[in-house]
Amino acid sequence: MDSFIEKAAALTADPVLSAIARKVYTGVRVSPEEGIHLFEKGSLPFVGMLANYIREQKHGDKTYFNRNFHIEPTNVCVFSCAFCAYSRLYAKREEGWELSIDRMVDIVKSYDDKPITEVHIVGGVHPKMDMAYFIELIRKIKAHRPGLHVKAFTAVELDYMFRKAKLSVAEGMQQLKDAGLESLPGGGAEIFHPDIREKICADKVDAEGWLRIHETAHQLGMHSNATMLYGHIETYEHRIDHMERLRLLQDKTGGFNTFIPLKFRNKDNDMSTVPESTIVEDMRLYAIARIYMDNFPHLKAYWPMLGRQQAQLTLSYGVNDIDGTIDDSTKIYSMAGSEEQTPAMSTSELVTLIRQVKRRPVERDTLYNEIRDYSAVDV
Ligand code: V47
Ligand code: SF4
C-alpha cells in the first residue's frame, strides 16, 4: 500500500487525485465527477501509473492478440457520418464496392490453410444487403468452416437490418444467432451524447438503440465489444457520459469483453478541419479508460489505427490487447488517414512487437480463451 500511495503522492499534490489513487488501490469505483477531474487534472505519469497498476492486477504482463481477418461487404452506406472517409452514398454506389455472397465465401476459403480463429465482418449500411442476405452468408461461412468464430455487424447495421425486416431486436438477433453469429464488434457507438451525435452522425441509431442491441445480444448469451470515437469535437464530459453508459450496461449484463477507444483521424472526410489529438492525449485517454471502466475485463488498442509504435506505448497505459494479425483486409482506417495504409502483421511480428516492450504475448480467441502463450516460443 505504502509504496503505491507514496508514488502517487510524488506525482500529485491534488487532494481529489490522491483520493482517486486510494480508490484505485482499494478497488473502489471512480465516480463520473472524478472521471472528469482525471481528464482535467491528471498528468500522463499519474494516470499512467494508476492504469498500469490496474492492468497488472488484472492481467500481469500478458498482452493478448488474435489471428483474424476482416471482410467488408460494402462501403455503400445510407448514412452520412461526418467523420467517415470510407462510405459512398447509395446514389454514387458505382464509386464503391459490393461483394457477393460467393465472393465473401471465397475470401473465407482463401484462409483455409491458415490457423485463423475469427472473421470480423463489418461494412456500410447497404439497402439491398438485408437479413436474408446476411443469414445466407453466415450459414455458408459456418458450413465451410464451423470452427471459425463469426464476429459481425455493428449495432448500426443491425438496427437498420431489423427495422427493414420489421423484426424486434430480440427476434432479429435470435435469427442471426441461429444462423451462426457468435459475437458483435463494438463499432457505431461513436459518442453517445445527443449533443455530439446530432453533429457527427445524426441519422443513425441513437445511444439507446445501440445499447439495447448489445443488451439483447448479451441476454442471448452472446458477447460484444464497445468502442468510443474520441478526439474530435467532444468534451471530457461527453467521454465520461459515454463510458458511464457502457459501465452501467456492463453492471447489468457482464456481456462486454473489451473497450476499444478509436482515435479520430481527419483525412478525406467532412471533419478535415478538426485537428487530431496528440500522442499525450491519446495515452491519457487509454489510461483514464482503464481506470474508469473497472468492470470491463480488457482494453484494446487497435494497432492499424494507431501505428505500431504508439500501439506499443499503450501497453504501458492500461492496454492489454492489440487485436489481430488482420492482413490488409480493412479499409475503414486507411481511408481516413490512419498510420497503417495496408495493415498486416504476421504472428511473429506481433509477438516481437509485444516482447520489445517487455510484455508477454499470448494468442487468444474471440472470447479470450488462451490459445498459446509465446513466452518460450521461438518466432
Ligand atoms: O464505428 C470511422 C470508426 C468504427 C473513422 O470490435 C473512424 O473488435 C477514426 O468499430 N477516424 C468501426 N475512426 C470499426 C470498429 C472496430 C474496429 C476494430 C475492432 C473492433 C472490435 C471494432 O470505425 C466506426 C467509427 O467509430 N471510424 N471513421 C475516422 N475517420
Ligand atoms: Fe456508414 Fe458506418 Fe461510415 Fe457512418 S461510419 S457513414 S454508418 S459506414
Side-chain angles (χ1 to χ4, degrees):
M1 166 88 172
D2 286 351
S3 92
F4 179 89
I5 297 300
E6 276 163 19
K7 274 191 214 155
L11 292 170
T12 183
D14 179 304
V16 179
L17 292 180
S18 301
I20 293 173
R22 277 193 296 279
K23 278 190 163 185
V24 166
Y25 191 73
T26 50
V28 177
R29 176 169 282 188
V30 165
S31 71
E33 296 71 29
E34 289 167 331
I36 292 167
H37 195 81
L38 280 170
F39 275 121
E40 284 173 346
K41 297 275 158 56
S43 67
L44 180 61
F46 177 79
V47 296
M49 189 201 103
L50 267 49
N52 194 50
Y53 174 79
I54 298 167
R55 184 244 203 257
E56 291 185 354
Q57 288 288 308
K58 285 185 186 285
H59 306 291
D61 60 358
K62 284 182 189 170
T63 297
Y64 293 105
F65 67 94
N66 72 342
R67 298 204 212 198
N68 67 358
F69 64 98
H70 288 218
I71 297 180
E72 294 177 353
T74 182
N75 67 341
V76 173
C77 191
V78 297
F79 298 120
S80 40
C81 306
F83 52 81
C84 185
Y86 160 91
S87 64
R88 294 292 172 270
L89 284 170
Y90 188 64
K92 293 191 172 174
R93 61 190 180 281
E94 68 286 349
E95 293 173 13
W97 70 84
E98 302 168 350
L99 302 184
S100 67
I101 291 175
D102 287 346
R103 173 76 194 105
M104 290 190 267
V105 174
D106 282 344
I107 295 175
V108 174
K109 288 180 179 165
S110 71
Y111 290 91
D112 275 356
D113 58 346
K114 301 213 172 85
I116 296 285
T117 57
E118 171 190 288
V119 55
H120 175 140
I121 309 174
V122 164
V125 178
H126 191 300
K128 299 266 165 65
M129 293 184 178
D130 58 5
M131 281 290 285
Y133 192 84
F134 285 122
I135 284 176
E136 187 184 340
L137 172 68
I138 298 171
R139 286 220 176 101
K140 286 193 165 159
I141 292 174
K142 292 302 276 185
H144 177 71
R145 192 162 169 176
L148 188 65
H149 186 109
V150 178
K151 179 177 87 179
F153 313 128
T154 63
V156 177
E157 294 166 275
L158 294 170
D159 171 68
Y160 184 87
M161 242 188 264
F162 298 161
R163 281 191 293 115
K164 197 142 192 222
K166 299 195 170 33
L167 294 170
S168 69
V169 174
E171 289 163 342
M173 200 68 77
Q174 185 68 56
Q175 289 187 16
L176 291 172
K177 187 181 179 214
D178 292 344
L181 180 68
E182 285 155 296
S183 50
L184 308 187
E190 322 311 357
I191 287 286
F192 287 143
H193 198 285
D195 290 354
I196 299 298
R197 214 164 175 84
E198 80 183 22
K199 292 195 177 99
I200 66 170
C201 55
D203 48 1
K204 71 186 188 187
V205 68
D206 62 10
E208 289 69 31
W210 192 101
L211 292 162
R212 193 177 318 117
I213 285 173
H214 282 255
E215 181 171 358
T216 308
H218 298 170
Q219 282 161 349
L220 292 176
M222 297 157 87
H223 283 81
S224 71
N225 294 336
T227 57
M228 174 170 76
L229 179 72
Y230 74 91
H232 43 91
I233 58 168
E234 87 287 2
T235 63
Y236 294 151
E237 282 79 3
H238 296 129
R239 293 179 184 178
I240 290 294
D241 172 76
H242 188 94
M243 293 197 275
E244 178 64 12
R245 293 183 202 226
L246 291 169
R247 196 167 77 164
L248 289 174
L249 179 54
Q250 179 75 333
D251 280 342
K252 206 164 151 190
T253 66
F256 286 115
N257 276 334
T258 180
F259 182 55
I260 314 163
L262 295 171
K263 175 190 172 92
F264 164 69
R265 309 306 304 238
N266 67 5
K267 187 170 156 244
D268 291 338
N269 57 38
D270 291 345
M271 291 168 69
S272 294
T273 53
V274 176
E276 292 181 359
S277 60
T278 62
I279 298 183
V280 170
E281 191 59 13
D282 294 336
M283 296 307 132
R284 274 183 2 103
L285 184 286
Y286 278 103
I288 295 169
R290 183 60 285 174
I291 296 165
Y292 202 79
M293 308 295 266
D294 60 343
N295 55 1
F296 272 62
H298 305 283
L299 181 66
K300 175 151 94 180
Y302 189 55
W303 67 262
M305 177 59 98
L306 284 169
R308 294 162 201 229
Q309 290 181 334
Q310 279 205 52
Q312 282 178 319
L313 197 54
T314 65
L315 301 183
S316 297
Y317 292 96
V319 168
N320 68 295
D321 183 356
I322 52 170
D323 207 84
T325 43
I326 300 196
D327 286 323
D328 60 351
S329 48
T330 177
K331 295 197 181 64
I332 192 156
Y333 305 103
S334 48
M335 291 171 81
S338 65
E339 300 306 312
E340 304 278 338
Q341 287 305 299
T342 51
M345 251 205 271
S346 66
T347 301
S348 114
E349 283 175 301
L350 262 176
V351 165
T352 305
L353 181 139
I354 295 166
R355 279 186 183 153
Q356 278 174 338
V357 289
K358 309 276 185 285
R359 299 291 188 185
R360 177 149 55 112
V362 177
E363 185 187 344
R364 62 161 176 88
D365 66 12
T366 311
L367 302 177
Y368 289 83
N369 299 304
E370 293 186 7
I371 295 180
R372 190 170 192 193
D373 185 328
Y374 277 76
S375 302
V377 177
D378 279 341
V379 290

